Amino acid sequence: MRKRPQSSSILPDTSANKSSDTPETDEEAKSSRSIQIKTPRRSGFTLLTLLGVIVYASWAVYQYQYGSLPVPLTAEQAGKRGFSEVQAMKHVQELTKLGPHPIGSDAIELALQYVLAASENIKKTAHWEVDVEVDFFHVNIGATRLGSGMFMDRTIVYSDLNHIVLRILPKYAPEAGENAILVSSHIDTVFSTEGAGDCSSCVAVMLELARGISQWAHGFKNAVIFLFNTGEEEGLSGAHSFITQHPWSSTIRMAIDLEAMGIGGKSSIFQAGPHPLAIETFASVAKYPSGNIIWQDLYASGIIKSATDFQVYREVAGLSGLDFAYTDHGAVYHTKNDKLELLKPGSLQHLGENMLAFLLQIAKSSHLSKANAMVEDIQSSHDTAVYYDILGQYMVTYRQRFANMLLSSVIIQSLMIWVTSLLMGGSTAAVSLALSCLSIILMWIFSLSFSALSASILPLISSSPLPYLSIPWLVVGLFAAPAFLGALTGQHLGYLVLQRYLSDVYAKRKQLSPAIQADLVKLEAERWLFKAGSLQWLVLLIIGTYYKVGSSYIALVWLVPPAFAYGLLEATLTPGRLPKPLKLATLWMGLAIPILVSAGPFIKLVITMIGLSVRFVRHPGGSPEWLPSVALSVFIAIVICLTLVYLLSYVHLSGAKTSMVLATCILFALSLAVVFSGITPPFTEETARVVNVVHVVDTTGRFGEKPSSYISLFSFTPGVFTAEVEEIREGFVCSRHKAIDYVTFSVSYGCLTFDETEEGWDESDIPTLKVVEDANGDKRITRVAIDTKRSIRWFLSINTREIEDFTFKVDSEELVPADGKRGIDGWHTIQASGGKNAPTKFELTLFWIQNSTLNSHEMLQSERPLLNLRTDLPGVMTPKAEAVLQKLPPWFTLFGKSTSPHTHSFLSSLPVNF
């Protein structure tokens, strides 16, 4: 048997007890000569293989967690009490056949009738001991103002809305109707899509769920209410009108909202609570649990700009519950590509089976009545739930109070270990720690810089600043490669600084030969880099625990397993022992659990961000073209710095540095070459660029005193229209012209054409803002009559630098009182929409700010009007707009959202000095 060399760790460090000039004894010299240090150089192939395995394992985890879907069941396989995707898909097919069905359209009436007929059929086929009530609920008018989210401090006015409400409860237990679970989604779509994902898929799941529940409910203790609302796409109006006006709303104790921010895949929970009953019940019974508090934290922070009906149920009604969403194919959201063909088989089965199991459990619960009453106590005590799924098979849930105790315990123990280590190591350990932290800082600086620089040059070499949209894998070469290269470079520079310091320390140990000292220095530096990686996660854990961030569990799983592996296989509390090479087993053991728990969510976040990039811009032309790519690249660099810090500490003593740098540079160069050559187009017909084509009649005086008519072409996707306009022709001129104010946003870059735009519109459709009375008493009060003519969808912004408050009347009845409204960027917006019979005449009473009105000269010089009004004519298409739409390239798609205009709009204003 081959004899192993003697370990270098057996020699004690006597430098602390001996001065450097003490003569070396014969015994010490003999001991020094007997030390054998194995060259601390690992195989480059081994490290490259390990990196490849980590990448492959991470992708496999993501695919298993988010890509594996259950097999769709037929009606026969599911049975009367089960959930059948095949049956649910029939509902999706019927609804998408109607095409786009926004509120106020003929198609929405047909969609309502279809859902009503399906609900009546459920009533007919229900179990004989189950009572099914179907209500066609009409809402005349209402208004709301939410305190958070994308509709914060905006007044939402709605009218002439219709909803289908289905209540299921046991026939011989009428007391069950006193407590109900609400399951809600919306029938309406935006004008630009047939809405297979958003949200015909949700409506279909609800109809199939209602059919199944109607066979089970005879054993329920609580009722189940299914709300098929309209108006969600116009400011969450449907949910608000139901929760404030329907008689059954007072019985609701929990709300479940089904949504889509893409189409298909797994429907995951991205909001839960505040009471943990719903998420804890779901976690205990769901067959394919999917959800992560990371999404909830991002949503609450405002990073994800979106809003769902769940906000209304939580904020207005004070309800707890769950918010589900489909997020696959995020780039097709609200576009022509939100179509049936992209709905993956198994998507509806996944949500349906989870929801059926959950409803069967919660509807039999006797705790439901207490959940709503305890919401305020839960919020004040911060005892909400932390939740995340493991591979889509098991969901972990625990209370925030327990999380605080657990995380605080880990933090205290970690700090004690660090303090003990530093006290035993003395000043050498303290300086080594500081220098290893410097390597982490340099790693972050170089990684973020390299990746952001790569992103910032994309607009210079590509026809689009987002060349990776059609092929998301390009972000690996464009952003991940430079981020990895930067992280390796930065950490290696810090490693060299640390190595130099340790060389000076070991040089004082006269009993060691120079060769041995050099090897020991490398080993010691490697260990400090590994430990510094855990320190960065400890810092994040401390911050997350202090602010009670639910996602802090990520820091926990990236801190504890690597620290445990290091402590088990590497660490020693004997200061005299010399360092040994880090074992690869330490890395394997330390990274297994973190990859298993977090690889899927990290990759899902990156893919979601890529999809969001297509509609990243809030004000077209108002932000740099490189901004969305830089944001994506920075996030990728953050993930790499956080997750590969342990692996990178192994690289510096291996032969893999050159290979890794070379491979990374080649990957980056190839990706740049693909982008520069245009081999892969940034957009395709399936992943299209979102645009808006609007025939605008402008009476604001922007283009002269007379009404001006033009076609406006703009996009919420960064980039220019140079090549496309040449293909479209039609007289478009593109430039960063004077911003066009569409009330809810402004367009600084776009294309305009005035050719042949005088046809297809009528002056009688121009809205009017008429001052009826202007009283200058103790307080100046102005009454303005608003006539939107044929428009049932309009937006009015009020200058809050001049106006302190206002009231809003419809048919002489005050709908919005004076109650201290706030503005954003100096404006308060009223957003109104409704059905075909929505009112078009209103009265606005303005209360001016005292002693702050501009003088006459300033009024004339000011460009800010008192009122800005935009009215849309849904469903109206002028000949010129239609001609432009027919010539749009196939990789263009119309985009609709609650604040964007339809294809025909009117702009009006009232100056301050009227």
Side-chain angles (χ1 to χ4, degrees):
M1 180 181 293
R2 184 179 177 182
K3 185 177 180 180
R4 296 180 60 189
Q6 186 177 0
S7 172
S8 64
S9 63
I10 64 172
L11 182 69
D13 179 8
T14 60
S15 61
N17 301 319
K18 283 186 159 187
S19 63
S20 60
D21 56 353
T22 302
E24 185 179 22
T25 65
D26 294 339
E27 184 179 350
E28 289 174 336
K30 183 178 179 181
S31 175
S32 176
R33 288 192 297 270
S34 68
I35 298 175
Q36 299 181 40
I37 301 293
K38 187 178 181 180
T39 303
R41 186 173 179 85
R42 299 185 185 87
S43 165
F45 176 77
T46 301
L47 262 293
L48 287 172
T49 302
L50 180 61
L51 177 61
V53 169
I54 290 175
V55 172
Y56 178 79
S58 299
W59 182 251
V61 166
Y62 165 75
Q63 286 290 348
Y64 189 83
Q65 186 167 1
Y66 293 100
S68 58
L69 293 168
V71 177
L73 299 181
T74 64
E76 292 74 19
Q77 291 171 325
K80 292 180 65 176
R81 292 185 166 192
F83 184 93
S84 167
E85 176 175 305
V86 175
Q87 291 298 108
M89 282 296 293
K90 293 178 181 178
H91 298 308
V92 181
Q93 291 167 357
E94 292 301 320
L95 289 170
T96 53
K97 281 180 184 177
L98 301 175
H101 36 281
I103 61 172
S105 66
D106 292 332
I108 192 63
E109 301 300 327
L110 296 175
L112 281 164
Q113 291 304 316
Y114 176 82
V115 174
L116 179 61
S119 301
E120 292 289 356
N121 188 57
I122 292 171
K123 180 177 182 179
K124 293 177 183 178
T125 59
H127 189 278
W128 66 275
E129 291 183 288
V130 174
D131 192 7
V132 177
E133 302 171 72
V134 180
D135 182 26
F136 186 88
F137 181 54
H138 176 74
V139 178
N140 287 321
I141 199 165
T144 181
R145 187 167 66 253
L146 299 175
S148 62
M150 63 183 297
F151 296 111
M152 182 177 64
D153 294 328
R154 178 177 298 179
T155 299
I156 309 292
V157 176
Y158 53 83
S159 54
D160 190 31
L161 298 180
N162 294 307
H163 316 310
I164 309 297
V165 191
L166 188 69
R167 184 165 72 166
I168 303 175
L169 68 165
K171 185 176 292 185
Y172 301 110
E175 66 277 4
E178 297 175 2
N179 300 296
I181 306 106
L182 175 69
V183 183
S184 172
S185 192
H186 62 96
I187 303 174
D188 62 309
T189 70
V190 293
F191 78 97
S192 55
T193 179
E194 63 188 32
D198 187 21
C199 211
S200 295
S201 59
C202 311
V203 171
V205 168
M206 285 173 56
L207 286 172
E208 180 63 8
L209 276 174
R211 183 203 59 76
I213 291 294
S214 69
Q215 305 299 322
W216 284 94
H218 52 284
F220 287 0
K221 295 180 180 179
N222 309 290
V224 180
I225 296 175
F226 292 90
L227 170 63
F228 305 88
N229 71 65
T230 63
E232 191 273 348
E233 298 291 7
E234 297 294 344
L236 316 180
S237 303
H240 185 270
S241 62
F242 170 80
I243 211 69
T244 57
Q245 299 188 36
H246 197 282
W248 292 346
S249 64
S250 61
T251 67
I252 296 173
R253 305 290 177 256
M254 180 181 291
I256 312 299
D257 183 52
L258 307 185
E259 256 298 348
M261 290 182 282
I263 179 171
K266 288 190 174 182
S267 182
S268 301
I269 297 172
F270 74 101
Q271 289 190 95
H275 195 283
L277 175 63
I279 187 64
E280 289 174 349
T281 303
F282 178 85
S284 66
V285 299
K287 192 174 181 180
Y288 317 103
S290 181
N292 201 305
I293 198 170
I294 294 175
W295 299 100
Q296 181 169 312
D297 289 340
L298 291 173
Y299 190 87
S301 69
I303 295 176
I304 297 179
K305 300 291 184 182
S306 186
T308 71
D309 286 337
F310 188 71
Q311 180 183 353
V312 174
Y313 302 135
R314 184 171 179 169
E315 186 175 319
V316 178
L319 296 171
S320 288
L322 304 174
D323 202 2
F324 291 83
Y326 289 113
T327 56
D328 277 15
H329 302 290
V332 310
Y333 176 71
H334 283 190
T335 71
K336 66 181 182 182
N337 290 319
D338 184 4
K339 52 191 178 181
L340 194 62
E341 291 78 6
L342 288 181
L343 195 53
K344 295 178 183 176
S347 300
L348 305 189
Q349 193 70 41
H350 173 264
L351 176 59
E353 289 197 44
N354 282 343
M355 279 296 300
L356 182 60
F358 169 75
L359 290 175
L360 292 179
Q361 182 72 17
I362 199 69
K364 297 176 182 178
S365 172
S366 58
H367 303 294
L368 186 64
S369 59
K370 302 176 184 178
N372 196 39
M374 296 168 61
V375 168
E376 292 185 3
D377 295 337
I378 288 290
Q379 288 178 313
S380 61
S381 65
H382 299 286
D383 200 20
T384 55
V386 176
Y387 58 94
Y388 51 92
D389 71 276
I390 306 295
L391 297 177
Q393 300 299 310
Y394 179 76
M395 179 164 279
V396 178
T397 61
Y398 48 86
R399 302 288 180 97
Q400 184 64 53
R401 187 176 300 173
F402 172 78
N404 294 340
M405 292 189 294
L406 173 65
L407 301 184
S408 298
S409 173
V410 171
I411 290 170
I412 292 172
Q413 293 179 60
S414 299
L415 291 176
M416 290 176 62
I417 292 172
W418 273 107
V419 170
T420 302
S421 177
L422 292 176
L423 288 176
M424 296 180 67
S427 60
T428 299
V431 175
S432 299
L433 175 62
L435 293 178
S436 61
C437 289
L438 174 64
S439 73
I440 297 296
I441 295 173
L442 291 174
M443 175 187 71
W444 280 85
I445 292 174
F446 278 77
S447 181
L448 292 170
S449 300
F450 283 19
S451 188
L453 179 63
S454 171
S456 63
I457 66 174
L458 290 182
L460 304 178
I461 64 173
S462 172
S463 59
S464 168
L466 309 174
Y468 45 81
L469 275 175
S470 62
I471 304 181
W473 275 104
L474 276 175
V475 301
V476 176
L478 293 174
F479 304 145
F484 178 82
L485 181 62
L488 179 58
T489 302
Q491 193 184 76
H492 190 67
L493 289 176
Y495 167 78
L496 294 177
V497 174
L498 177 60
Q499 184 180 347
R500 182 169 183 176
Y501 167 74
L502 291 174
S503 296
D504 294 338
V505 173
Y506 274 85
K508 299 175 182 178
R509 303 180 181 182
K510 298 297 184 178
Q511 72 274 27
L512 299 177
S513 67
I516 293 176
Q517 289 179 11
D519 287 341
L520 290 176
V521 164
K522 295 176 182 179
L523 296 175
E524 185 77 10
E526 177 186 61
R527 286 172 167 261
W528 276 110
L529 291 184
F530 187 94
K531 291 187 286 186
S534 66
L535 185 61
Q536 74 168 1
W537 282 110
L538 176 60
V539 171
L540 290 176
L541 185 64
I542 293 172
I543 295 172
T545 303
Y546 179 81
Y547 288 104
K548 295 181 172 60
V549 179
S551 303
S552 298
Y553 83 90
I554 293 288
L556 181 69
V557 299
W558 279 93
L559 170 64
V560 174
F564 175 79
Y566 183 87
L568 181 66
L569 301 177
E570 308 286 357
T572 175
L573 293 178
T574 305
R577 299 189 68 180
L578 297 177
K580 297 181 294 183
L582 288 175
K583 304 177 181 66
L584 287 179
T586 304
L587 198 62
W588 284 112
M589 181 182 294
L591 296 188
I593 293 177
I595 290 174
L596 189 71
V597 173
S598 63
F602 280 151
I603 296 174
K604 183 67 174 178
L605 279 170
V606 171
I607 293 175
T608 301
M609 287 187 68
I610 293 173
L612 291 174
S613 299
V614 79
R615 53 186 185 277
F616 182 88
V617 178
R618 183 182 176 188
H619 301 279
S623 57
E625 293 183 343
W626 44 259
L627 187 58
S629 291
V630 168
L632 177 61
S633 68
V634 166
F635 178 76
I636 291 175
I638 290 173
V639 172
I640 285 177
C641 288
L642 289 174
T643 59
L644 294 186
V645 63
Y646 297 114
L647 173 67
L648 290 176
S649 65
Y650 278 69
V651 174
H652 308 290
L653 297 186
S654 74
K657 290 194 296 292
T658 302
S659 301
M660 284 185 173
V661 170
L662 183 60
T664 302
C665 291
I666 291 174
L667 179 59
F668 177 58
L670 288 175
S671 301
L672 284 182
V674 169
V675 171
F676 182 75
S677 65
I679 296 174
T680 59
F683 305 104
T684 63
E685 189 170 357
E686 290 73 29
T687 307
R689 180 180 184 181
V690 299
V691 299
N692 287 84
V693 176
V694 189
H695 190 146
V696 179
V697 178
D698 194 334
T699 63
T700 61
R702 184 179 290 105
F703 297 99
E705 295 182 1
K706 294 182 179 181
S708 181
S709 175
Y710 52 87
I711 300 292
S712 175
L713 172 65
F714 59 88
S715 175
F716 291 97
T717 306
V720 297
F721 289 114
T722 307
E724 291 81 2
V725 162
E726 293 179 358
E727 182 179 336
I728 298 171
R729 300 181 184 276
E730 297 295 337
F732 277 107
V733 175
C734 303
S735 66
R736 296 189 178 275
H737 46 65
K738 182 179 179 181
I740 298 178
D741 189 350
Y742 282 92
V743 180
T744 52
F745 64 94
S746 60
V747 175
S748 297
Y749 173 81
C751 306
L752 299 180
T753 178
F754 293 84
D755 297 351
E756 303 173 4
T757 58
E758 297 302 322
E759 297 180 357
W761 62 275
D762 197 300
E763 289 192 6
S764 63
D765 290 328
I766 297 176
T768 59
L769 296 168
K770 183 180 180 181
V771 176
V772 178
E773 181 182 1
D774 186 28
N776 273 303
D778 294 336
K779 192 168 187 178
R780 186 178 178 186
I781 301 176
T782 302
R783 288 196 302 117
V784 180
I786 304 172
D787 188 350
T788 62
K789 301 301 174 68
R790 285 198 297 156
S791 175
I792 55 175
R793 185 179 191 265
W794 54 270
F795 304 81
L796 177 73
S797 60
I798 301 169
N799 187 343
T800 54
R801 295 180 183 175
E802 299 294 331
I803 302 302
E804 184 178 47
D805 209 341
F806 66 86
T807 63
F808 186 78
K809 294 182 179 180
V810 181
D811 296 330
S812 300
E813 293 187 12
E814 188 174 83
L815 185 63
V816 181
D819 54 1
K821 302 169 189 67
R822 296 178 299 177
I824 297 178
D825 298 328
W827 299 97
H828 184 95
T829 302
I830 301 176
Q831 176 175 337
S833 60
K836 293 180 179 179
N837 298 318
T840 59
K841 294 183 179 181
F842 313 92
E843 182 181 298
L844 181 69
T845 302
L846 305 173
F847 301 94
W848 294 69
I849 297 175
Q850 288 182 318
N851 304 321
S852 63
T853 308
L854 298 174
N855 59 46
S856 299
H857 176 71
E858 290 173 329
M859 289 180 182
L860 292 174
Q861 297 298 319
S862 176
E863 296 184 356
R864 290 174 62 93
L866 185 66
L867 302 174
N868 263 334
L869 175 65
R870 187 189 93 218
T871 59
D872 297 342
L873 292 182
V876 176
M877 183 82 67
T878 64
K880 183 66 174 181
E882 187 173 8
V884 172
L885 288 173
Q886 290 176 351
K887 294 183 179 180
L888 287 181
W891 60 89
F892 275 18
T893 175
L894 288 180
F895 176 65
K897 60 179 181 177
S898 62
T899 57
S900 61
H902 285 212
T903 53
H904 190 21
S905 298
F906 294 82
L907 300 179
S908 301
S909 64
L910 181 68
V912 173
N913 188 23
F914 52 79

